[in-house]
Amino acid sequence: MDDGLTRCAWATSAPDYVRYHDEEWGRPLRGERNLFERMSLEAFQSGLSWLTILRKRENFRAAFADFEPAKVAAFDEADRARLMADAGIVRNGMKVDATIANARAVLELDTPLDELLWSFAPRDHVRPATLADVPAITPESTAMAKELKRRGFRFVGPTTSYALMQAVGLVDDHVASCFRSTPD
């Protein structure tokens, strides 16, 4: 897309990326369902292209009851079999099981999911000058992963946690030249 806007380099190869970058990525997101969805999709993305997940997102929403934690937590073996047969999503048994387990973990939290996740937002964050300056993990994402795992969550390692932090605006990693970057 050549609309004269400078974007983060990762976001220019496909219209789906452009739209996601411009409208969602890095914008502060709240709400249990919204954050559970993003956490789940980041887990499914592990080892795959984010573009694959973006293009299947509506299928994921349909398959996982719009990521309503209470509904997903009630999934049983028949639901798991249905998910594993659904060509519209990523059919990885470990990731399907993790999503169901994570929904159950959300319901067991003693604090709202958004408060828990947002508690790991760094006080100070240096805007990356270039894509090469964007870290894969940070002390905050490592701490988030450790706490989520302690609370029974799966597929939430430090790299996945940092990708989640970026996606939901806990950190703003739009590079300095990107039109979406905000003043520090």
Side-chain angles (χ1 to χ4, degrees):
M1 169 182 271
D2 187 13
D3 56 9
L5 296 174
T6 301
R7 293 178 172 82
C8 299
W10 64 266
T12 60
S13 65
D16 295 323
Y17 271 156
V18 171
R19 192 170 31 263
Y20 176 69
H21 170 272
D22 292 1
E23 298 172 9
E24 296 182 59
W25 191 75
R27 291 193 181 192
L29 185 67
R30 298 278 184 162
E32 180 179 84
R33 193 211 66 76
N34 293 331
L35 291 169
F36 176 63
E37 175 183 337
R38 294 292 182 83
M39 175 187 287
S40 300
L41 294 178
E42 291 294 345
F44 272 101
Q45 184 275 329
S46 182
L48 302 172
S49 162
W50 181 243
L51 191 56
T52 299
I53 303 305
L54 277 179
R55 289 180 173 164
K56 292 178 178 270
R57 183 160 53 170
E58 290 306 318
N59 297 334
F60 274 108
R61 287 175 175 160
F64 283 96
D66 203 31
F67 290 100
E68 290 291 344
K71 291 179 181 177
V72 177
F75 281 10
D76 58 16
E77 284 302 315
D79 291 300
R80 185 184 190 282
R82 171 185 56 81
L83 293 166
M84 292 303 295
D86 187 341
I89 66 168
V90 173
R91 296 176 288 181
N92 177 304
M94 290 176 26
K95 293 176 182 180
V96 167
D97 292 343
T99 302
I100 297 167
N102 289 352
R104 293 173 182 157
V106 167
L107 299 182
E108 294 175 10
L109 290 174
D110 56 359
T111 187
L113 180 62
D114 59 351
E115 285 182 29
L116 175 63
L117 295 180
W118 277 88
S119 73
F120 293 96
R123 287 184 189 204
D124 298 310
H125 181 71
V126 177
R127 175 168 313 288
T130 68
L131 196 56
D133 297 323
V134 177
I137 63 170
T138 63
E140 294 86 1
S141 73
T142 300
M144 176 190 280
K146 184 177 179 181
E147 180 60 17
L148 289 171
K149 286 179 184 180
R150 186 185 75 76
R151 291 174 178 261
F153 287 83
R154 301 184 202 166
F155 264 90
V156 290
T159 302
T160 300
S161 291
Y162 194 68
L164 176 64
M165 293 173 79
Q166 292 172 305
V168 303
L170 273 73
V171 295
D172 181 354
D173 274 346
H174 287 281
V175 296
S177 61
C178 177
F179 87 97
R180 289 282 299 124
S181 68
T182 56
D184 289 326

